[in-house]
């Protein structure tokens, strides 16, 4: 079991590069020698690291596979439930609290499954729903929880959620990005988050900046498919007196889990039929350059390397 402690610690310290490296290095040992119970725990940490690094589709797949398994102890289900709860909060804001409440009810492991990550998820989910008071309360619960820690990455993250929700963060040791953000240095915080391999957190920090910074955050949220967070960015732009780019996307852009626009769905449907870009351009009466841009955007949003993978990725009901 000690094999999964280092990657678990790395994930809880928001160090996805290190966590994934450690998990991949010990993957064979975990499965072949230590059994599936430990594999599921490691998989939960991997799901968190993938989420932190911006690989949301891979994180969702990993978390779903763990939760669909009948193997493993109940505690191994806490991290993947937290991941799925966060993804729902960030993407649509629906079906969030049942899974986060279930994770909380499952309980805390003795230092192995840090509950700080779960309370971070709960604080963020409340913030995304516009309930700042609950966001502050959830973060404070994490700081005063059954497994308190003085690690600056864990307590700093919770303190920063109190700050983002408009509260007064407690004087706890905070890692550099959180300390910078709470001190008003959003640019330095964003840079530090990016250096750590945390693109979503960097975008969150930019919400505290000027209009250009918030627009950069909005682009990042849109690319990740974080529609709920993108709404917060648009509200921030309006608060800054901006109007350009603050309109909510068309419903068709939100009705599929990857945020493809109506036109991109049309392009994908033809792509899935095996048409070339030139053939798609002729069918939709678009320029070849426009179709090239749409196909590139589709591959990025679906997080796939090629057209064949894109054709397989999107569910049939989302193509129509």
């Amino acid at each position: 079991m000690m094999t999964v402690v280092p990657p678990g610690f790395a994930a809880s310290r928001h160090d996805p590069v290190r966590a994934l490296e450690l998990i991949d290095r010990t993957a064979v040992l975990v499965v072949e020698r230590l059994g599936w119970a430990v594999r599921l725990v490691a998989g939960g940490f991997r799901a968190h690291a993938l989420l932190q690094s911006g690989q949301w589709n891979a994180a969702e797949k990993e978390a779903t596979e763990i939760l669909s398994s009948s193997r493993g102890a109940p505690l191994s289900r806490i991290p993947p439930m937290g991941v799925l709860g966060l993804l729902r909060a960030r993407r649509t804001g629906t079906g969030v609290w049942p899974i986060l409440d279930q994770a909380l009810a499952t309980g805390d492991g003795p230092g192995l499954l840090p509950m700080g990550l779960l309370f971070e998820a709960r604080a963020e989910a409340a913030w995304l729903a516009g309930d700042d008071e609950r966001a502050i309360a959830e973060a404070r619960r994490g700081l005063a929880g059954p497994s308190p820690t003085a690690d600056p990455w864990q307590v700093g993250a919770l303190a920063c959620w109190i700050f983002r929700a408009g509260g007064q963060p407690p004087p706890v040791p905070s890692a550099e990005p959180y300390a910078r953000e709470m001190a008003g240095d959003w640019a330095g915080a964003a840079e530090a988050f990016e250096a750590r391999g945390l693109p979503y957190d960097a975008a969150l920090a930019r919400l505290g900046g000027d209009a250009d910074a918030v627009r950069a955050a909005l682009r990042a949220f849109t690319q990740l498919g974080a529609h709920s967070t993108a709404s917060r960015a648009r509200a921030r732009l309006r608060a800054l007196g901006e109007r350009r780019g603050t309109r909510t996307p068309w419903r068709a852009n939100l009705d599929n889990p990857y945020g493809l626009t109506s036109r991109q769905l049309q392009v994908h449907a033809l792509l899935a039929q095996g048409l070339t870009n030139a053939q798609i351009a002729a069918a939709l009466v678009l320029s070849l350059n426009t179709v090239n841009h749409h196909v590139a955007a589709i591959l990025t949003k679906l997080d796939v390397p090629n057209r064949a993978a894109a054709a397989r990725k999107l569910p049939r009901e989302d193509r129509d």
Side-chain angles (χ1 to χ4, degrees):
M1 185 64 74
M2 291 300 294
T3 305
V4 299
V5 170
F9 186 59
S12 69
R13 300 189 77 243
H14 300 259
D15 190 356
V17 175
R18 178 64 173 162
L20 291 172
E21 175 187 314
L22 288 168
I23 292 171
D24 290 343
R25 184 186 302 169
T26 60
V28 175
L29 172 67
V30 166
V31 174
E32 292 185 355
R33 300 185 184 180
L34 301 180
W36 276 95
V38 179
R39 156 69 181 89
L40 295 177
V41 174
F45 293 139
R46 179 178 174 80
H48 259 293
L50 289 168
L51 179 72
Q52 292 167 352
S53 66
Q55 301 176 69
W56 289 10
N57 295 330
E60 180 179 35
K61 180 180 178 182
E62 185 90 29
T64 301
E65 288 178 352
I66 293 170
L67 294 179
S68 65
S69 174
S70 60
R71 304 178 180 182
L75 290 176
S76 67
R77 305 174 70 82
I78 296 176
M81 285 191 287
V83 167
L84 293 184
L86 261 185
L87 283 172
R88 293 175 186 178
R90 293 173 180 178
R91 286 172 167 169
T92 64
T94 59
V96 176
W97 290 105
I99 193 167
L100 291 182
D101 287 342
Q102 184 182 355
L104 186 61
T106 301
D108 187 13
L112 178 60
L113 296 169
M115 294 294 281
L117 287 172
L118 179 57
F119 280 108
E120 284 180 47
R122 294 175 67 86
E124 182 180 343
W127 177 79
L128 286 171
D131 191 346
D132 288 344
E133 184 176 344
R134 181 171 184 177
I136 293 171
E138 294 288 356
R140 291 195 182 280
R141 286 178 69 188
L143 289 170
S147 297
T149 173
D151 183 89
W153 281 94
Q154 296 178 44
V155 298
L158 291 166
C160 199
W161 275 115
I162 295 174
F163 170 78
R164 290 167 181 160
Q168 180 62 45
V172 296
S174 299
E176 178 189 359
Y178 302 115
R180 284 181 175 270
E181 184 174 345
M182 289 186 285
D185 180 11
W186 59 266
E191 183 178 350
F193 279 129
E194 286 178 339
R196 189 79 166 183
L198 302 166
Y200 179 81
D201 298 82
L204 285 176
R206 290 192 173 96
L207 289 181
D210 57 18
D212 288 340
V214 179
R215 289 190 189 284
L218 178 57
R219 287 193 296 271
F221 296 142
T222 301
Q223 184 173 10
L224 287 167
H227 304 303
S228 298
T229 327
S231 294
R232 295 284 306 215
R234 293 188 189 93
R236 170 67 175 152
L237 282 173
R238 289 191 291 269
L240 291 171
E242 298 288 314
R243 291 294 178 265
R244 179 173 59 87
T246 61
R247 186 176 57 135
T248 301
W250 293 104
R251 182 72 236 172
N253 192 20
L254 303 180
D255 280 342
N256 65 83
Y258 304 104
L260 270 62
T261 65
S262 297
R263 180 64 80 183
Q264 288 166 359
L265 287 170
Q266 292 175 329
V267 171
H268 183 277
L270 297 177
L271 179 155
Q273 294 175 23
L275 273 64
T276 66
N277 285 11
Q279 291 170 327
I280 293 173
L284 297 179
V285 194
L286 298 172
S287 72
L288 178 58
N289 189 51
T290 296
V291 172
N292 289 341
H293 283 303
H294 281 316
V295 171
I298 289 169
L299 297 183
T300 297
K301 289 183 177 182
L302 297 185
D303 191 23
V304 293
N306 53 52
R307 302 162 69 91
R312 294 191 299 268
K313 186 68 173 282
L314 197 62
R316 173 65 59 181
E317 59 270 20
D318 287 334
R319 299 176 189 169
D320 302 325

